[in-house]
């Protein structure tokens, strides 16, 4: 067997991570590399929770959400001592290359390992799709499909009662889930962190929709939306907006906070393919002796980027989608 490579998943779990692990393990075996699974992200790395992964260990997981390697957040890894322990653990196990599947925080952690001489390749895995240098991250497509399924069901009941339905989705800093699912569901109003809102305007939009003859409305709200006037508290924005609409317009409202069901379920075709392609390229880079890279898919082509460069870029949301949704909602 050739050299050992570690594989870990870190930060928020995302459907499709298992498909990436499966491909990384089997492609590694194809190149005569020895794949090791590291459990519970950086937390498990520091504690030495790792073992070799066989081809059979990744059988039957391509269709499963979550991650068989588990995920965790690690405060200790944020300290120089914690990172030194992590590097020590890798050296003790003779692992000098690492694949990190996770989000922005996990990538920052990976960069610090790279600076200590570990060759790291990062794969974007987060439902938020807030990573630059890739059109989509693993898990995003499944998450928006989950939201779409939920809103389809809400629509059935909505069309039977004349109410305003507010659906709160994930996205503390990024409006990707809200914008894509809102557009795909025909939401009347979409609220995203990138475009601060005024609750009075949302209420007016709903009143205008009623004048257009719409008997019910769907509002998709990202959890991290911000008010234009900066007044903010920790209460769910959907609850606050719903209360305001009831009070000012008299419409009945119903609130659904989707929460963790957005992350769950079998990954979509898109996520499985993206995960498989990125993991395959990650092993190829390691086989070529490379490190300090992140992989992304841009215009359907897999590309590698310098990790430090990628982390310095800001992911842009295509606001054309937002303008389109406003046009569609106004007729
Ligand atoms: P995500 O990868 O989904 O963005 P987090 O932001 O929680 O999730 O990051 C996952 C883990 O990565 C953290 O618990 C921490 O151990 C590590 N990490 C995050 N940011 C840094 C950083 N700036 N430097 C070193 N490690 C970090």
């Amino acid at each position: 067997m050739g050299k050992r490579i570690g594989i870990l998943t870190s930060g928020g779990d995302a459907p499709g991570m298992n498909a990436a692990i499966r491909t990384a393990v089997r492609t590694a075996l194809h190149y005569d590399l020895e794949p090791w699974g590291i459990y519970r992200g950086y937390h498990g790395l520091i504690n030495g929770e790792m073992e070799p992964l066989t081809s059979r260990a990744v059988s039957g997981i391509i269709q499963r959400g979550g991650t068989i390697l588990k995920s965790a957040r690690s405060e200790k890894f944020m300290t120089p001592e914690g990172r030194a322990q992590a590097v020590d653990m890798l050296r003790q196990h003779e692992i000098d290359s690492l694949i990190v599947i996770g989000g922005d925080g996990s990538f920052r952690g990976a960069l610090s390992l790279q600076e200590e001489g570990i060759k790291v390749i990062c794969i974007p895995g987060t439902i938020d799709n807030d990573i630059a240098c890739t059109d989509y991250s693993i898990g995003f497509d499944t998450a928006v499909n989950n939201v779409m399924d939920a809103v389809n069901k809400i629509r059935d009941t909505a069309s039977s009662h004349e109410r305003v339905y507010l659906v709160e989705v994930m996205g503390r800093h990024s409006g990707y889930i809200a914008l894509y699912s809102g557009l795909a569901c025909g939401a009347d109003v979409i609220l995203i962190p990138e475009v601060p809102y005024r609750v009075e305007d949302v209420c007016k939009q709903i009143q205008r929709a009623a004048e257009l003859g719409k008997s019910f409305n769907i509002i998709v709200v990202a959890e991290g939306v911000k008010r234009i006037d900066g007044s903010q508290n920790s209460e769910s924005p959907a609850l606050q907006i719903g209360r305001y609409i009831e009070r000012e317009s008299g419409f009945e409202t119903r609130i659904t906070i989707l929460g963790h069901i957005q992350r769950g379920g079998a990954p979509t075709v898109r996520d499985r393919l993206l995960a498989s392609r990125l993991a395959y390229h990650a092993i190829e880079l390691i086989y070529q002796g490379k490190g300090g890279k992140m992989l992304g898919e841009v215009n359907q082509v897999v590309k590698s980027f310098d990790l430090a460069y990628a982390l310095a870029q800001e992911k842009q949301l295509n606001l054309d989608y937002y303008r389109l949704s406003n046009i569609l909602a106004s007729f």
Side-chain angles (χ1 to χ4, degrees):
M1 238 347 146
K3 64 176 184 173
R4 288 182 182 170
I5 60 160
I7 305 164
L8 65 79
T9 47
S10 166
D13 64 299
M17 281 181 163
N18 279 330
I21 296 165
R22 169 183 179 269
T23 299
V25 167
R26 294 191 176 167
T27 311
L29 294 170
H30 170 75
Y31 281 109
D32 203 29
L33 302 168
E34 192 183 335
W36 279 56
I38 299 168
Y39 294 87
R40 295 177 186 78
Y42 297 128
H43 174 79
L45 173 56
I46 289 172
N47 295 329
E49 295 180 48
M50 52 186 87
E51 63 179 5
L53 289 177
T54 63
S55 184
R56 287 293 71 74
V58 293
S59 288
I61 64 167
I62 194 169
Q63 79 287 4
R64 280 166 54 191
T67 156
I68 60 158
L69 293 177
K70 318 279 186 205
S71 191
R73 297 199 154 88
S74 170
E75 284 294 324
K76 199 169 172 188
F77 189 76
M78 306 285 280
T79 67
E81 302 78 51
R83 287 198 294 276
Q85 277 181 34
V87 172
D88 249 18
M89 233 3 123
L90 289 168
R91 301 247 189 265
Q92 272 178 40
H93 288 84
E94 294 172 29
I95 294 172
D96 66 356
S97 301
L98 188 65
I99 294 179
V100 171
I101 309 167
D104 182 82
S106 305
F107 282 19
R108 289 182 197 282
L111 185 61
S112 64
L113 289 176
Q114 177 69 33
E115 284 159 2
E116 298 294 327
I118 306 292
K119 289 179 179 162
V120 189
I121 305 291
C122 289
I123 296 179
T126 163
I127 63 166
D128 293 335
N129 202 31
D130 57 353
I131 307 237
C133 299
T134 188
D135 292 342
Y136 298 107
S137 55
I138 297 168
F140 171 69
D141 189 61
T142 307
V144 281
N145 274 285
N146 283 340
V147 174
M148 192 180 68
D149 287 347
V151 176
N152 284 346
K153 288 174 184 140
I154 289 168
R155 268 184 168 283
D156 287 345
T157 173
S159 59
S160 317
H161 301 275
E162 298 179 343
R163 290 176 184 145
V164 178
Y165 288 79
L166 289 104
V167 182
E168 188 174 302
V169 301
M170 285 181 169
R172 253 174 288 162
H173 307 289
S174 164
Y176 262 97
I177 294 181
L179 186 54
Y180 276 51
S181 65
L183 191 51
C185 292
D188 300 280
V189 180
I190 300 172
L191 300 175
I192 53 178
E194 291 82 349
V195 184
Y197 72 99
R198 206 179 270 122
V199 71
E200 296 84 352
D201 294 341
V202 178
C203 195
K204 275 190 208 136
Q205 276 172 279
I206 296 303
Q207 284 164 328
R208 211 174 309 125
E211 285 159 22
L212 287 169
K214 297 189 186 187
S215 60
F216 69 92
N217 304 100
I218 307 271
I219 303 178
V220 175
V221 187
E223 62 184 330
V225 286
K226 297 173 192 73
R227 292 190 185 206
I228 285 180
D229 65 10
S231 66
Q232 213 75 29
N233 61 37
S234 58
E235 193 189 17
S236 131
L239 283 173
Q240 294 178 47
I241 298 164
R243 225 173 18 239
Y244 182 92
I245 292 174
E246 285 219 344
R247 197 177 63 228
E248 295 298 317
S249 71
F251 294 133
E252 243 186 278
T253 60
R254 289 290 181 274
I255 318 289
T256 307
I257 298 174
L258 285 181
H260 281 82
I261 65 162
Q262 289 163 85
R263 289 186 187 285
T268 58
V269 171
R270 253 179 196 268
D271 274 332
R272 294 182 200 197
L273 295 186
L274 178 65
S276 303
R277 294 176 72 219
L278 295 182
Y280 163 76
H281 279 87
I283 296 291
E284 287 226 306
L285 289 183
I286 287 177
Y287 186 68
Q288 293 159 11
K290 295 193 176 134
K293 304 279 179 200
M294 96 150 234
L295 285 165
E297 192 187 63
V298 182
N299 294 331
Q300 297 175 35
V301 177
V302 174
K303 293 197 165 151
S304 81
F305 296 87
D306 197 53
L307 184 54
Y309 166 83
L311 279 170
Q313 310 305 305
E314 205 169 317
K315 175 84 164 195
Q316 298 294 333
L317 184 64
N318 184 348
L319 287 177
D320 273 352
Y321 279 46
Y322 186 74
R323 285 184 278 276
L324 171 58
S325 78
N326 281 335
I327 291 171
L328 297 178
S330 57
F331 288 92

